Amino acid sequence: MTSFWSLWIIILTVITFIGIIWVLFGNRKTTSRGENQTTGHSYDGIEEYDNPLPAWWLNMFVITIVFGVGYLIVYPGLGNFKGVKGWTSSGQWDKQIEKADKRYGELFASYGEMTIDQLLASRPAIKMGQRIFANNCAQCHGSDAKGAYGIPNLTDADWLYGGTAQAIKTSITEGRTGSMPAWKSILDVETVERLSNVIMADNTREEKQLPSDKTFQQFCAACHGADAKGSQALGAPNLVDNVWLYGVDEGKLLYSLFEGRGGVMPTHKTMLSENKIHLLTAYVISLGDGVERQ
């Protein structure tokens, strides 16, 4: 936060506190003006007595003000001032993670020593992996791991970067960055539409055929392969199957060709320990192996 906005927040906060104190004590009464004296206002025939606030009520307001001032001294709340305690939410999170690691570290270490096949055969391990998935992966891939528009389904047999345990573990650990270049500035509309027709035709045939279009071979085969079956090394999808990240639709395909696509799978090595990633890898593999998930 810049110095200007920090000062702006501090000034507004201080003014607010002063205003609250003025409203409270500026309108404070210690005694009533007389027995059954009213304020003179009538609301649907209901009149308000002109009596001072009960002492306990007034004291509660004072306590909350004192608490608020004390809180802003100890904890951050006044712009860039971090408070005398130096508390931060990230620091609190780190302490909680450290505490949890001490408590469950041995358990995760025991799972880390097991092979993937052993983890797949362990119901507690799979349930642990499911919880890790729910906390770190379900936000994108869904609680059922079936993905969404532009996000891979983890329960089928189609893998952009490979479905082996090592490939999945690498994806989780290091992340992935996919990029489909936009061709609108290189190819004319007619050529792009012809490419779309070629790809869609190959995709809808019962017997898949190699793309014979010279333009496809010139501009697309380098990534997707001469047979259009993709490349796991490059993360280039198979174009002759029925698994499409953005939908089997000619309009979406044209958009992909004209505008390109980009996807990012974030790295988790800074968020999850190696043992947790090992567990998570086993859980993801179990999704396609029929292992009971509940």
Side-chain angles (χ1 to χ4, degrees), residues 184-211:
K184 62 182 179 181
S185 60
I186 301 173
L187 302 176
D188 56 48
V189 174
E190 182 180 346
T191 302
V192 171
E193 290 179 344
R194 187 174 73 253
L195 274 175
S196 174
N197 292 333
V198 169
I199 295 170
M200 289 299 295
D202 285 323
N203 180 264
T204 55
R205 291 193 182 104
E206 290 185 4
E207 294 184 3
K208 308 302 181 184
Q209 299 182 18
L210 301 182

PDB file of all heavy atoms in Angstrom, residues 184-211:
ATOM      1  N   LYS A 184      -4.906 -15.876 -35.881  1.00  0.00           N
ATOM      2  CA  LYS A 184      -5.646 -14.846 -36.622  1.00  0.00           C
ATOM      3  C   LYS A 184      -4.739 -13.840 -37.316  1.00  0.00           C
ATOM      4  O   LYS A 184      -5.125 -13.235 -38.311  1.00  0.00           O
ATOM      5  CB  LYS A 184      -6.617 -14.124 -35.699  1.00  0.00           C
ATOM      6  CG  LYS A 184      -5.956 -13.368 -34.541  1.00  0.00           C
ATOM      7  CD  LYS A 184      -6.986 -12.720 -33.645  1.00  0.00           C
ATOM      8  CE  LYS A 184      -6.333 -11.983 -32.485  1.00  0.00           C
ATOM      9  NZ  LYS A 184      -7.351 -11.371 -31.588  1.00  0.00           N
ATOM     10  N   SER A 185      -3.540 -13.631 -36.769  1.00  0.00           N
ATOM     11  CA  SER A 185      -2.619 -12.673 -37.381  1.00  0.00           C
ATOM     12  C   SER A 185      -1.691 -13.332 -38.395  1.00  0.00           C
ATOM     13  O   SER A 185      -0.888 -12.652 -39.044  1.00  0.00           O
ATOM     14  CB  SER A 185      -1.782 -11.986 -36.298  1.00  0.00           C
ATOM     15  OG  SER A 185      -1.026 -12.941 -35.576  1.00  0.00           O
ATOM     16  N   ILE A 186      -1.801 -14.663 -38.538  1.00  0.00           N
ATOM     17  CA  ILE A 186      -0.912 -15.389 -39.445  1.00  0.00           C
ATOM     18  C   ILE A 186      -1.675 -15.989 -40.616  1.00  0.00           C
ATOM     19  O   ILE A 186      -1.223 -15.926 -41.768  1.00  0.00           O
ATOM     20  CB  ILE A 186      -0.168 -16.504 -38.680  1.00  0.00           C
ATOM     21  CG1 ILE A 186       0.640 -15.888 -37.530  1.00  0.00           C
ATOM     22  CG2 ILE A 186       0.742 -17.310 -39.604  1.00  0.00           C
ATOM     23  CD1 ILE A 186       1.275 -16.901 -36.616  1.00  0.00           C
ATOM     24  N   LEU A 187      -2.844 -16.547 -40.334  1.00  0.00           N
ATOM     25  CA  LEU A 187      -3.641 -17.198 -41.371  1.00  0.00           C
ATOM     26  C   LEU A 187      -4.911 -16.407 -41.643  1.00  0.00           C
ATOM     27  O   LEU A 187      -5.467 -15.776 -40.743  1.00  0.00           O
ATOM     28  CB  LEU A 187      -4.010 -18.620 -40.933  1.00  0.00           C
ATOM     29  CG  LEU A 187      -2.834 -19.557 -40.599  1.00  0.00           C
ATOM     30  CD1 LEU A 187      -3.368 -20.890 -40.100  1.00  0.00           C
ATOM     31  CD2 LEU A 187      -1.940 -19.746 -41.813  1.00  0.00           C
ATOM     32  N   ASP A 188      -5.364 -16.453 -42.886  1.00  0.00           N
ATOM     33  CA  ASP A 188      -6.608 -15.750 -43.215  1.00  0.00           C
ATOM     34  C   ASP A 188      -7.807 -16.568 -42.756  1.00  0.00           C
ATOM     35  O   ASP A 188      -7.683 -17.744 -42.389  1.00  0.00           O
ATOM     36  CB  ASP A 188      -6.686 -15.464 -44.724  1.00  0.00           C
ATOM     37  CG  ASP A 188      -6.562 -16.725 -45.573  1.00  0.00           C
ATOM     38  OD1 ASP A 188      -7.252 -17.710 -45.267  1.00  0.00           O
ATOM     39  OD2 ASP A 188      -5.763 -16.715 -46.527  1.00  0.00           O
ATOM     40  N   VAL A 189      -8.966 -15.932 -42.776  1.00  0.00           N
ATOM     41  CA  VAL A 189     -10.185 -16.556 -42.270  1.00  0.00           C
ATOM     42  C   VAL A 189     -10.507 -17.840 -43.020  1.00  0.00           C
ATOM     43  O   VAL A 189     -10.867 -18.864 -42.416  1.00  0.00           O
ATOM     44  CB  VAL A 189     -11.365 -15.573 -42.356  1.00  0.00           C
ATOM     45  CG1 VAL A 189     -12.667 -16.262 -41.959  1.00  0.00           C
ATOM     46  CG2 VAL A 189     -11.120 -14.358 -41.471  1.00  0.00           C
ATOM     47  N   GLU A 190     -10.362 -17.812 -44.317  1.00  0.00           N
ATOM     48  CA  GLU A 190     -10.689 -18.977 -45.130  1.00  0.00           C
ATOM     49  C   GLU A 190      -9.817 -20.180 -44.746  1.00  0.00           C
ATOM     50  O   GLU A 190     -10.305 -21.311 -44.639  1.00  0.00           O
ATOM     51  CB  GLU A 190     -10.497 -18.646 -46.607  1.00  0.00           C
ATOM     52  CG  GLU A 190     -10.866 -19.795 -47.544  1.00  0.00           C
ATOM     53  CD  GLU A 190     -10.661 -19.432 -49.010  1.00  0.00           C
ATOM     54  OE1 GLU A 190     -10.488 -18.225 -49.308  1.00  0.00           O
ATOM     55  OE2 GLU A 190     -10.676 -20.350 -49.843  1.00  0.00           O
ATOM     56  N   THR A 191      -8.544 -19.937 -44.513  1.00  0.00           N
ATOM     57  CA  THR A 191      -7.626 -21.022 -44.150  1.00  0.00           C
ATOM     58  C   THR A 191      -7.965 -21.592 -42.780  1.00  0.00           C
ATOM     59  O   THR A 191      -7.959 -22.810 -42.575  1.00  0.00           O
ATOM     60  CB  THR A 191      -6.175 -20.517 -44.162  1.00  0.00           C
ATOM     61  OG1 THR A 191      -5.860 -20.000 -45.455  1.00  0.00           O
ATOM     62  CG2 THR A 191      -5.209 -21.643 -43.827  1.00  0.00           C
ATOM     63  N   VAL A 192      -8.267 -20.705 -41.840  1.00  0.00           N
ATOM     64  CA  VAL A 192      -8.621 -21.160 -40.490  1.00  0.00           C
ATOM     65  C   VAL A 192      -9.907 -21.985 -40.521  1.00  0.00           C
ATOM     66  O   VAL A 192     -10.009 -23.021 -39.857  1.00  0.00           O
ATOM     67  CB  VAL A 192      -8.772 -19.962 -39.538  1.00  0.00           C
ATOM     68  CG1 VAL A 192      -9.344 -20.412 -38.189  1.00  0.00           C
ATOM     69  CG2 VAL A 192      -7.437 -19.265 -39.323  1.00  0.00           C
ATOM     70  N   GLU A 193     -10.865 -21.556 -41.304  1.00  0.00           N
ATOM     71  CA  GLU A 193     -12.121 -22.299 -41.414  1.00  0.00           C
ATOM     72  C   GLU A 193     -11.886 -23.661 -42.054  1.00  0.00           C
ATOM     73  O   GLU A 193     -12.521 -24.657 -41.669  1.00  0.00           O
ATOM     74  CB  GLU A 193     -13.144 -21.498 -42.203  1.00  0.00           C
ATOM     75  CG  GLU A 193     -13.660 -20.271 -41.446  1.00  0.00           C
ATOM     76  CD  GLU A 193     -14.658 -19.465 -42.257  1.00  0.00           C
ATOM     77  OE1 GLU A 193     -14.713 -19.679 -43.498  1.00  0.00           O
ATOM     78  OE2 GLU A 193     -15.362 -18.631 -41.663  1.00  0.00           O
ATOM     79  N   ARG A 194     -10.974 -23.729 -43.042  1.00  0.00           N
ATOM     80  CA  ARG A 194     -10.661 -25.015 -43.651  1.00  0.00           C
ATOM     81  C   ARG A 194     -10.001 -25.947 -42.634  1.00  0.00           C
ATOM     82  O   ARG A 194     -10.306 -27.136 -42.568  1.00  0.00           O
ATOM     83  CB  ARG A 194      -9.750 -24.836 -44.869  1.00  0.00           C
ATOM     84  CG  ARG A 194      -9.543 -26.156 -45.629  1.00  0.00           C
ATOM     85  CD  ARG A 194      -8.772 -26.009 -46.921  1.00  0.00           C
ATOM     86  NE  ARG A 194      -7.367 -25.761 -46.709  1.00  0.00           N
ATOM     87  CZ  ARG A 194      -6.764 -24.599 -46.910  1.00  0.00           C
ATOM     88  NH1 ARG A 194      -7.471 -23.555 -47.340  1.00  0.00           N
ATOM     89  NH2 ARG A 194      -5.471 -24.457 -46.697  1.00  0.00           N
ATOM     90  N   LEU A 195      -9.104 -25.400 -41.828  1.00  0.00           N
ATOM     91  CA  LEU A 195      -8.474 -26.187 -40.771  1.00  0.00           C
ATOM     92  C   LEU A 195      -9.522 -26.738 -39.807  1.00  0.00           C
ATOM     93  O   LEU A 195      -9.460 -27.895 -39.391  1.00  0.00           O
ATOM     94  CB  LEU A 195      -7.468 -25.329 -39.995  1.00  0.00           C
ATOM     95  CG  LEU A 195      -6.049 -25.235 -40.541  1.00  0.00           C
ATOM     96  CD1 LEU A 195      -5.240 -24.253 -39.709  1.00  0.00           C
ATOM     97  CD2 LEU A 195      -5.374 -26.599 -40.555  1.00  0.00           C
ATOM     98  N   SER A 196     -10.474 -25.889 -39.446  1.00  0.00           N
ATOM     99  CA  SER A 196     -11.531 -26.309 -38.536  1.00  0.00           C
ATOM    100  C   SER A 196     -12.330 -27.460 -39.132  1.00  0.00           C
ATOM    101  O   SER A 196     -12.636 -28.439 -38.447  1.00  0.00           O
ATOM    102  CB  SER A 196     -12.454 -25.124 -38.237  1.00  0.00           C
ATOM    103  OG  SER A 196     -13.571 -25.529 -37.473  1.00  0.00           O
ATOM    104  N   ASN A 197     -12.654 -27.359 -40.409  1.00  0.00           N
ATOM    105  CA  ASN A 197     -13.418 -28.414 -41.077  1.00  0.00           C
ATOM    106  C   ASN A 197     -12.640 -29.721 -41.112  1.00  0.00           C
ATOM    107  O   ASN A 197     -13.197 -30.803 -40.909  1.00  0.00           O
ATOM    108  CB  ASN A 197     -13.778 -27.984 -42.506  1.00  0.00           C
ATOM    109  CG  ASN A 197     -14.788 -26.842 -42.522  1.00  0.00           C
ATOM    110  OD1 ASN A 197     -15.580 -26.695 -41.589  1.00  0.00           O
ATOM    111  ND2 ASN A 197     -14.766 -26.033 -43.571  1.00  0.00           N
ATOM    112  N   VAL A 198     -11.337 -29.614 -41.364  1.00  0.00           N
ATOM    113  CA  VAL A 198     -10.489 -30.813 -41.400  1.00  0.00           C
ATOM    114  C   VAL A 198     -10.465 -31.497 -40.039  1.00  0.00           C
ATOM    115  O   VAL A 198     -10.649 -32.713 -39.918  1.00  0.00           O
ATOM    116  CB  VAL A 198      -9.050 -30.449 -41.845  1.00  0.00           C
ATOM    117  CG1 VAL A 198      -8.105 -31.627 -41.613  1.00  0.00           C
ATOM    118  CG2 VAL A 198      -9.030 -30.034 -43.293  1.00  0.00           C
ATOM    119  N   ILE A 199     -10.256 -30.714 -38.986  1.00  0.00           N
ATOM    120  CA  ILE A 199     -10.171 -31.280 -37.641  1.00  0.00           C
ATOM    121  C   ILE A 199     -11.507 -31.876 -37.211  1.00  0.00           C
ATOM    122  O   ILE A 199     -11.562 -32.972 -36.656  1.00  0.00           O
ATOM    123  CB  ILE A 199      -9.717 -30.200 -36.639  1.00  0.00           C
ATOM    124  CG1 ILE A 199      -8.288 -29.751 -36.953  1.00  0.00           C
ATOM    125  CG2 ILE A 199      -9.795 -30.728 -35.211  1.00  0.00           C
ATOM    126  CD1 ILE A 199      -7.827 -28.541 -36.179  1.00  0.00           C
ATOM    127  N   MET A 200     -12.597 -31.155 -37.473  1.00  0.00           N
ATOM    128  CA  MET A 200     -13.908 -31.651 -37.091  1.00  0.00           C
ATOM    129  C   MET A 200     -14.261 -32.915 -37.867  1.00  0.00           C
ATOM    130  O   MET A 200     -14.849 -33.848 -37.320  1.00  0.00           O
ATOM    131  CB  MET A 200     -14.973 -30.580 -37.320  1.00  0.00           C
ATOM    132  CG  MET A 200     -14.909 -29.413 -36.356  1.00  0.00           C
ATOM    133  SD  MET A 200     -15.141 -29.890 -34.618  1.00  0.00           S
ATOM    134  CE  MET A 200     -16.832 -30.492 -34.657  1.00  0.00           C
ATOM    135  N   ALA A 201     -13.879 -32.975 -39.140  1.00  0.00           N
ATOM    136  CA  ALA A 201     -14.176 -34.151 -39.958  1.00  0.00           C
ATOM    137  C   ALA A 201     -13.441 -35.369 -39.415  1.00  0.00           C
ATOM    138  O   ALA A 201     -14.009 -36.458 -39.274  1.00  0.00           O
ATOM    139  CB  ALA A 201     -13.784 -33.903 -41.408  1.00  0.00           C
ATOM    140  N   ASP A 202     -12.189 -35.197 -39.062  1.00  0.00           N
ATOM    141  CA  ASP A 202     -11.418 -36.310 -38.515  1.00  0.00           C
ATOM    142  C   ASP A 202     -11.964 -36.734 -37.157  1.00  0.00           C
ATOM    143  O   ASP A 202     -11.931 -37.911 -36.803  1.00  0.00           O
ATOM    144  CB  ASP A 202      -9.944 -35.917 -38.376  1.00  0.00           C
ATOM    145  CG  ASP A 202      -9.227 -35.897 -39.722  1.00  0.00           C
ATOM    146  OD1 ASP A 202      -9.543 -36.762 -40.545  1.00  0.00           O
ATOM    147  OD2 ASP A 202      -8.411 -35.007 -39.945  1.00  0.00           O
ATOM    148  N   ASN A 203     -12.502 -35.776 -36.409  1.00  0.00           N
ATOM    149  CA  ASN A 203     -12.998 -36.078 -35.068  1.00  0.00           C
ATOM    150  C   ASN A 203     -14.307 -36.845 -35.102  1.00  0.00           C
ATOM    151  O   ASN A 203     -14.604 -37.607 -34.192  1.00  0.00           O
ATOM    152  CB  ASN A 203     -13.172 -34.782 -34.281  1.00  0.00           C
ATOM    153  CG  ASN A 203     -13.679 -35.030 -32.880  1.00  0.00           C
ATOM    154  OD1 ASN A 203     -14.862 -34.945 -32.636  1.00  0.00           O
ATOM    155  ND2 ASN A 203     -12.764 -35.368 -31.980  1.00  0.00           N
ATOM    156  N   THR A 204     -15.109 -36.634 -36.151  1.00  0.00           N
ATOM    157  CA  THR A 204     -16.438 -37.242 -36.200  1.00  0.00           C
ATOM    158  C   THR A 204     -16.463 -38.561 -36.965  1.00  0.00           C
ATOM    159  O   THR A 204     -17.456 -39.262 -36.937  1.00  0.00           O
ATOM    160  CB  THR A 204     -17.438 -36.265 -36.849  1.00  0.00           C
ATOM    161  OG1 THR A 204     -16.935 -35.866 -38.134  1.00  0.00           O
ATOM    162  CG2 THR A 204     -17.617 -35.035 -35.983  1.00  0.00           C
ATOM    163  N   ARG A 205     -15.388 -38.897 -37.662  1.00  0.00           N
ATOM    164  CA  ARG A 205     -15.350 -40.175 -38.370  1.00  0.00           C
ATOM    165  C   ARG A 205     -15.260 -41.334 -37.380  1.00  0.00           C
ATOM    166  O   ARG A 205     -14.584 -41.256 -36.366  1.00  0.00           O
ATOM    167  CB  ARG A 205     -14.144 -40.236 -39.320  1.00  0.00           C
ATOM    168  CG  ARG A 205     -14.233 -39.296 -40.515  1.00  0.00           C
ATOM    169  CD  ARG A 205     -13.159 -39.667 -41.521  1.00  0.00           C
ATOM    170  NE  ARG A 205     -13.182 -38.750 -42.660  1.00  0.00           N
ATOM    171  CZ  ARG A 205     -12.295 -37.780 -42.855  1.00  0.00           C
ATOM    172  NH1 ARG A 205     -11.330 -37.590 -41.974  1.00  0.00           N
ATOM    173  NH2 ARG A 205     -12.365 -37.009 -43.909  1.00  0.00           N
ATOM    174  N   GLU A 206     -15.947 -42.414 -37.706  1.00  0.00           N
ATOM    175  CA  GLU A 206     -15.854 -43.590 -36.853  1.00  0.00           C
ATOM    176  C   GLU A 206     -14.438 -44.158 -36.901  1.00  0.00           C
ATOM    177  O   GLU A 206     -13.900 -44.594 -35.898  1.00  0.00           O
ATOM    178  CB  GLU A 206     -16.870 -44.644 -37.293  1.00  0.00           C
ATOM    179  CG  GLU A 206     -18.326 -44.241 -37.004  1.00  0.00           C
ATOM    180  CD  GLU A 206     -19.288 -45.355 -37.341  1.00  0.00           C
ATOM    181  OE1 GLU A 206     -18.812 -46.452 -37.713  1.00  0.00           O
ATOM    182  OE2 GLU A 206     -20.503 -45.138 -37.231  1.00  0.00           O
ATOM    183  N   GLU A 207     -13.849 -44.191 -38.102  1.00  0.00           N
ATOM    184  CA  GLU A 207     -12.464 -44.617 -38.242  1.00  0.00           C
ATOM    185  C   GLU A 207     -11.610 -43.380 -38.446  1.00  0.00           C
ATOM    186  O   GLU A 207     -11.693 -42.711 -39.474  1.00  0.00           O
ATOM    187  CB  GLU A 207     -12.301 -45.575 -39.427  1.00  0.00           C
ATOM    188  CG  GLU A 207     -13.030 -46.900 -39.238  1.00  0.00           C
ATOM    189  CD  GLU A 207     -12.766 -47.851 -40.400  1.00  0.00           C
ATOM    190  OE1 GLU A 207     -11.973 -47.474 -41.291  1.00  0.00           O
ATOM    191  OE2 GLU A 207     -13.349 -48.942 -40.406  1.00  0.00           O
ATOM    192  N   LYS A 208     -10.802 -43.056 -37.447  1.00  0.00           N
ATOM    193  CA  LYS A 208      -9.999 -41.845 -37.506  1.00  0.00           C
ATOM    194  C   LYS A 208      -8.974 -41.936 -38.634  1.00  0.00           C
ATOM    195  O   LYS A 208      -8.358 -42.977 -38.861  1.00  0.00           O
ATOM    196  CB  LYS A 208      -9.296 -41.610 -36.176  1.00  0.00           C
ATOM    197  CG  LYS A 208     -10.222 -41.642 -34.963  1.00  0.00           C
ATOM    198  CD  LYS A 208     -11.325 -40.615 -35.056  1.00  0.00           C
ATOM    199  CE  LYS A 208     -12.199 -40.660 -33.812  1.00  0.00           C
ATOM    200  NZ  LYS A 208     -13.340 -39.743 -33.894  1.00  0.00           N
ATOM    201  N   GLN A 209      -8.807 -40.840 -39.326  1.00  0.00           N
ATOM    202  CA  GLN A 209      -7.865 -40.787 -40.430  1.00  0.00           C
ATOM    203  C   GLN A 209      -6.846 -39.697 -40.185  1.00  0.00           C
ATOM    204  O   GLN A 209      -7.104 -38.723 -39.483  1.00  0.00           O
ATOM    205  CB  GLN A 209      -8.605 -40.527 -41.753  1.00  0.00           C
ATOM    206  CG  GLN A 209      -9.617 -41.622 -42.112  1.00  0.00           C
ATOM    207  CD  GLN A 209     -10.286 -41.357 -43.443  1.00  0.00           C
ATOM    208  OE1 GLN A 209      -9.782 -40.567 -44.236  1.00  0.00           O
ATOM    209  NE2 GLN A 209     -11.393 -42.014 -43.683  1.00  0.00           N
ATOM    210  N   LEU A 210      -5.678 -39.854 -40.776  1.00  0.00           N
ATOM    211  CA  LEU A 210      -4.640 -38.842 -40.633  1.00  0.00           C
ATOM    212  C   LEU A 210      -5.044 -37.592 -41.397  1.00  0.00           C
ATOM    213  O   LEU A 210      -5.534 -37.674 -42.530  1.00  0.00           O
ATOM    214  CB  LEU A 210      -3.310 -39.367 -41.179  1.00  0.00           C
ATOM    215  CG  LEU A 210      -2.765 -40.638 -40.521  1.00  0.00           C
ATOM    216  CD1 LEU A 210      -1.421 -40.990 -41.156  1.00  0.00           C
ATOM    217  CD2 LEU A 210      -2.606 -40.456 -39.036  1.00  0.00           C
ATOM    218  N   PRO A 211      -4.866 -36.419 -40.806  1.00  0.00           N
ATOM    219  CA  PRO A 211      -5.178 -35.183 -41.520  1.00  0.00           C
ATOM    220  C   PRO A 211      -4.292 -35.048 -42.768  1.00  0.00           C
ATOM    221  O   PRO A 211      -3.069 -35.089 -42.675  1.00  0.00           O
ATOM    222  CB  PRO A 211      -4.853 -34.093 -40.498  1.00  0.00           C
ATOM    223  CG  PRO A 211      -4.851 -34.790 -39.180  1.00  0.00           C
ATOM    224  CD  PRO A 211      -4.384 -36.171 -39.452  1.00  0.00           C
TER     225      PRO A 211
END
